[in-house]
Amino acid sequence: MSALSLAHEPVTGIRHGKLGMWIFLASEVMFFSGFFTAFIILRNANLSVFAHGATELNWPLAALNTVNLIVSSLTMAMSILSLENGDKGKFQLYLGITFLCACGFLVIKYIEYTTKFSHGIYPGTSSFFGLYFTMTGFHAIHVIGGMIPIGWMLAKSFTKRGYADSGRVEILGLYWHFVDLVWIFLFPVLYLIF
Amino acid sequence: MAAGHSAGEMQKAYIKIFSALMVFTLLTIVAAKFIHFPESWGSLSTVLHVTIGLLIAVAKAWMVVYVFMHIKFDNPYIRVFIYVPLFLFAVLVFALTVLGGPTL
């Protein structure tokens, strides 16, 4: 069996890892679909509760987080490009910025959550806040899940052997862009439109 | 790298999409927070805000998927993994809202 057929799915010619990530992302779409559907149903049944809940949220901080994730998506894409071109320095720079943006996102989320808790707002306060904490909480877990391999690849790139597998970084990039994608919908749905 | 595209072309495409995403984020905020429809429009103004916000979000999502996730440049088979869950999501929302889901 040739090396190509081992690394790639024979019918589509797509790399196995990439195909696996796309299948995983398809399941992730369905995972978050459940939350968005629950949000639509509960919102339509409790319009005033949801409208009041949304006014309690800090949309400028969420907007800052949106910028954070968009910048991180750009730097992730640029890091893949840099690695493919063999520019190790730029790869480290862009991936490092991506990691820092992820850290910034979590710090802002921490500020948001602690402010809510200090105001006596918890997931059990109302159906709106139940969904708010669940949806943003799961999203934050996904951010942490992305930071682990980003940090690992970044750390490995500083070793003697370095990191040269651009295919794996591309697969990680798909996941990272998906994290950005989910936030693109969470931001207006939770913070802006009610 | 995407077949048939130079690094310079890809970089230009990324910067363009990044700029568009920033502009669209600003538009989302302006549309939701600073554009007020007449009170006499009642619930229509909420519907308009929701529609505008979601349309911008869909446009932003498509830009991310199309360029950052390489759908524009990659193997067309991959599109199946976008269309199928999106179709299932639409069915889920339609079934539970329009056709009548759980009574709350």
Side-chain angles (χ1 to χ4, degrees):
Chain A
M1 196 178 282
S2 71
L4 178 73
S5 62
L6 280 175
H8 296 77
E9 203 282 322
V11 178
T12 58
I14 304 166
R15 191 181 155 133
H16 283 307
K18 195 174 187 177
L19 192 65
M21 179 52 81
W22 274 109
I23 293 169
F24 171 68
L25 293 183
S27 77
E28 286 281 274
V29 170
M30 295 315 297
F31 175 77
F32 280 101
S33 293
F35 290 127
F36 281 106
T37 310
F39 187 90
I40 294 166
I41 293 167
L42 287 170
R43 180 189 174 276
N44 290 345
N46 309 280
L47 277 176
S48 58
V49 172
F50 274 59
H52 180 259
T55 57
E56 299 277 339
L57 299 181
N58 191 336
W59 70 263
L61 274 185
L64 193 60
N65 256 348
T66 307
V67 172
N68 232 339
L69 282 186
I70 293 173
V71 171
S72 77
S73 257
L74 172 72
T75 53
M76 174 56 89
M78 297 292 259
S79 73
I80 298 163
L81 207 55
S82 304
L83 193 60
E84 283 172 342
N85 289 331
D87 193 336
K88 186 187 163 191
K90 275 192 176 172
F91 166 70
Q92 289 170 330
L93 172 73
Y94 287 130
L95 204 63
I97 296 173
T98 309
F99 191 81
L100 284 179
C101 285
C103 291
F105 181 91
L106 290 179
V107 168
I108 291 173
K109 199 96 304 271
Y110 172 79
I111 295 169
E112 266 193 87
Y113 278 9
T114 48
T115 310
K116 294 284 158 294
F117 296 151
S118 67
H119 292 162
I121 296 170
Y122 297 99
T125 303
S126 70
S127 50
F128 173 81
F129 283 108
L131 277 169
Y132 163 77
F133 281 109
T134 310
M135 291 165 93
T136 57
F138 270 113
H139 180 263
I141 290 170
H142 279 75
V143 171
I144 296 167
M147 284 172 74
I148 296 167
I150 290 173
W152 182 79
M153 285 174 184
L154 192 61
K156 199 137 191 261
S157 74
F158 282 99
T159 60
K160 257 188 181 177
R161 284 183 66 192
Y163 195 85
D165 192 344
S166 61
R168 282 191 184 175
V169 186
E170 191 186 350
I171 292 166
L172 173 63
L174 286 176
Y175 174 83
W176 192 253
H177 296 311
F178 176 79
V179 170
D180 180 23
L181 207 65
V182 173
W183 185 257
I184 281 174
F185 285 97
L186 285 178
F187 174 52
V189 166
L190 291 173
Y191 294 85
L192 295 180
I193 46 181
F194 44 85
Chain B
M1 202 182 303
H5 295 271
S6 71
E9 282 175 340
M10 298 285 285
Q11 201 164 329
K12 268 187 192 168
Y14 291 156
I15 300 285
K16 270 186 196 168
I17 292 299
F18 169 74
S19 311
L21 286 171
M22 294 300 245
V23 170
F24 275 47
T25 301
L26 194 67
L27 276 179
T28 311
I29 294 168
V30 170
K33 292 289 171 192
F34 303 107
I35 293 178
H36 303 288
F37 297 108
E39 276 183 30
S40 57
W41 289 17
S43 62
L44 181 65
S45 83
T46 311
V47 172
L48 280 174
H49 272 133
V50 171
T51 309
I52 293 168
L54 288 181
L55 281 177
I56 296 173
V58 168
K60 283 169 74 182
W62 184 243
M63 283 189 263
V64 170
V65 172
Y66 201 58
V67 177
F68 282 161
M69 294 174 89
H70 288 183
I71 282 296
K72 183 183 176 186
F73 318 106
D74 247 333
N75 192 317
Y77 278 111
I78 286 176
R79 293 175 192 208
V80 172
F81 299 105
I82 299 165
Y83 297 143
V84 171
L86 280 184
F87 171 73
L88 292 173
F89 175 57
V91 169
L92 187 71
V93 173
F94 185 74
L96 289 173
T97 53
V98 179
L99 297 182
T103 312
L104 297 167

